[in-house]
Amino acid sequence: MCGRYASARKKQELLEEFEVELDGVPDSELRPDYNVAPTKNVYAVMCRVPKDEDGKAAGRPVRQLRTVRWGLVPSWAKDPSVGSRMINARVETVGEKPSYRRAFASRRCLLPADGYYEWMTLESKKKQPYFIHPADGGVLAMAGLYEFWKDPARDDDDPLKWLCTCTVITTTAEDKLGRIHDRMPMMIERDHWGEWLDPRVSDPARLLVPAGPDRLAVYPVSTTVNDVRNNGPELIEPIEDEGEAAASSS
């Protein structure tokens, strides 16, 4: 699974990196977050089709950057609390499960990250966190879905009437990553960003290809990241790998 990640790039960097046409968060900017956890607000890149005064589609999809909450809340949910249990969607069933299939069909997004964390249980029974990131230092564009949930308890003119949430699509982790955790976020390569975001594309499953073995790098980090209250660049600083050290001394 993917339950914690780092996203420290400034909004302007993301607008340029993803060639965003519309800044959907013009009056606010999220602070650099090295310990993104479920239910936090995060940046998402998506394409939305403009609508006219009658609510009908008018024009081509426009690529935009928005702030969404991590933990998908289906439109039919009775309350938003279900989102905390829907932070990940398995690629094997994302097109079939009622909670995700409608979003998979037309509400796909990219969730920019610098990398993500996973924990591995060592022989000492200690859980060692690892930071997994693009080997070239570039942005990690995680495949995601987004949904809109309407709060029935709020007035129609209330700016909080609509809640936009997201989930990360995960796949099987293999090779060096599989030894740490059996799941990993699905990445979308740059050449496929446009197709993945386009709500008119009817066969998005073909765009979901696991990252190659040399695409990602991994190293151990301090257990300070275990506490979501801790935040800062020190969380992604590498430390000695106890697992490797133990293996080499035996």
Side-chain angles (χ1 to χ4, degrees):
M1 65 174 292
C2 175
R4 211 79 66 79
Y5 68 93
S7 181
R9 283 175 166 76
K10 293 183 179 298
K11 182 178 72 172
Q12 188 58 43
E13 292 181 73
L14 298 178
L15 292 174
E16 296 174 1
E17 179 76 21
F18 289 91
E19 300 179 343
V20 172
E21 301 170 83
L22 174 65
D23 181 358
V25 284
D27 300 323
S28 62
E29 179 167 356
L30 297 178
R31 298 179 62 182
D33 197 337
Y34 293 87
N35 207 350
V36 178
T39 74
K40 277 189 173 184
N41 286 334
V42 298
Y43 284 130
V45 180
M46 61 183 71
C47 276
R48 300 283 295 165
V49 178
K51 294 183 179 180
D52 58 23
E53 296 179 355
D54 297 323
K56 296 181 180 180
R60 63 174 180 78
V62 176
R63 188 177 298 190
Q64 52 195 265
L65 182 72
R66 289 200 181 195
T67 300
V68 301
R69 194 174 79 177
W70 188 15
L72 190 134
V73 180
S75 60
W76 42 261
K78 293 183 178 180
D79 65 78
S81 63
V82 300
S84 62
R85 304 190 299 274
M86 300 177 66
I87 62 171
N88 292 158
R90 296 175 69 92
V91 69
E92 296 88 347
T93 56
V94 68
E96 304 168 2
K97 285 197 171 184
S99 300
Y100 305 118
R101 63 188 180 196
R102 292 181 63 184
F104 185 60
S106 61
R107 286 184 289 277
R108 299 177 296 274
C109 64
L110 296 172
L111 300 169
D114 298 301
Y116 66 99
Y117 303 96
E118 286 295 2
W119 283 256
M120 182 175 71
T121 302
L122 305 178
E123 291 185 3
S124 62
K125 305 304 181 183
K126 172 185 175 181
K127 286 192 173 182
Q128 174 62 57
Y130 287 81
F131 186 61
I132 303 165
H133 63 98
D136 61 4
V139 66
L140 179 68
M142 299 188 295
L145 308 175
Y146 68 94
E147 259 301 3
F148 291 98
W149 181 78
K150 188 177 182 180
D151 190 342
R154 295 182 181 275
D155 295 332
D156 289 342
D157 59 352
D158 189 329
L160 300 179
K161 179 71 173 180
W162 290 93
L163 174 66
C164 189
T165 59
C166 70
T167 189
V168 177
I169 298 177
T170 66
T171 187
T172 301
E174 299 178 353
D175 302 322
K176 61 185 177 183
L177 301 182
R179 73 182 181 89
I180 298 173
H181 196 279
D182 63 348
R183 303 294 294 180
M184 64 180 289
M186 182 67 78
M187 297 170 54
I188 301 295
E189 296 294 343
R190 185 181 298 271
D191 291 346
H192 295 154
W193 286 357
E195 288 184 278
W196 175 252
L197 295 174
D198 192 337
R200 300 167 300 184
V201 171
S202 59
D203 56 342
R206 64 182 173 80
L207 303 173
L208 293 171
V209 180
D214 299 324
R215 181 73 171 80
L216 298 174
V218 56
Y219 57 79
V221 293
S222 168
T223 54
T224 305
V225 73
N226 294 358
D227 190 333
V228 297
R229 293 171 296 182
N230 295 327
N231 212 316
E234 67 277 4
L235 297 185
I236 63 173
E237 289 295 321
I239 63 171
E240 181 182 8
D241 191 327
E242 290 188 20
E244 294 291 344
S248 62
S249 62
S250 60

